[in-house]
Amino acid sequence: MASGSYWGSFAPRERRNIIIYIIGIMFYKLGLESFNGGIVSLAADRFTAANAFGKIGALTGLNQAMQVIGSILIAPLVKKFPTRSVLATAIFVFGSITILFLIIDAATGGKPRIANGGQLHYGTWNPNALFPLYMISGISYGMVELIRRIIPRDIVGGDVQKLRKMDAIVHILYEVAGTGGALLSVKMIKIFGNNFSFLITPPLFVCAGLTWICIDKLGHGEESEKEEGEEDERSFGSVDYMYSVTIGARAFARSTYKGAIICFAHRKFIWLLPGYSFALYGHRYLENAISPAIAKRIMLDSSYSQIMVCGSNLGELFGALFVLITTTAIQTPLPFLRFDALALLIVWALPAYSHHIQPHNAVYAWRIAAMFVPISMGWAAGDVSLAAFIQASLARMESSDSQVSA
């Protein structure tokens, strides 16, 4: 697809907003990969060997559960305030929370590897403190991820072709940053250790927030903002915090109910649960459970998990690029989902291959990363095409209920 025909489908204002949004999201992804890679590697090293991966599973599971809480807290704000402002504020909060990990480790005697003769030196804090800290960060993570899912439709409207093009190019550059972030995380762990490897995360999140603030006022939905803005501002300012949380919980429950009705009452949506939700879970399990287990237990170096994640991110880049190239030729997400299901079978090669892995040898990590490329390529292709399909399909439904956002 020629770049001229790609950009020609967007209005000048849309192009400007897309570019600013992409710059911000690349800062965000670089910081996120450094943070997640450092935390998972830190947990693998700090938890006792007997139950390390059980705790890592619980840690990531609770983090994802708290992302739901984050989406509950942020959904009413997205309805009442400019999306760009809510997104920037959420990432600033996320960045401030990541600083807590660094402060706690430094305050209890932890040192960067580079300042300790190349040796790891953790603080004396109880590693179980990772649970409340990572859960709190999950709230902010959920806030950012929810807005990241809905802002493309706010920028380009409900046009499915525009959505697919924007989602694809955003996903491509998002994964370029993710691949770079995973490689950077490996280097940062080698230099600073697991406990200080994500010290670049807070400034990167600040850069993302400052960039997103520069997004022009979104044109789609602007008329409803003008009509309801003053009323929403008065009503939101008059309620206390707990009442706001209650409103958010009720709105989330209503959105869940409405989503279930839409999925199970319409034939064209009923396949979304296995086609999207299960695929999302499998992808997260690959990166957050299988990779750390192989790196720590077999390769005896927890930082190697980020090399495997790098392969996964590269596969996501290829998948998004494929959707961008075929956006006009393939109108349905089903071919991408079928490819995802077939590529996932490659996972069964890992148990057999693990017997040939030599510890402390990065070559084997790169080979496993190569296995992850087609798996994640299928996932990303399905994710991008499905996201555009869902956003476009639900664009008209959202206006029927002021408490529900698509």
Side-chain angles (χ1 to χ4, degrees), residues 164-181:
R164 289 184 62 158
K165 289 178 181 179
M166 180 181 173
D167 284 338
I169 193 65
V170 167
H171 208 133
I172 289 169
L173 296 176
Y174 184 74
E175 296 309 331
V176 167
T179 303

Side-chain angles (χ1 to χ4, degrees), residues 45-63:
D45 284 351
R46 290 299 309 275
F47 290 141
T48 57
N51 57 7
F53 296 102
K55 284 191 172 183
I56 290 176
L59 185 69
T60 55
L62 288 171
N63 177 269

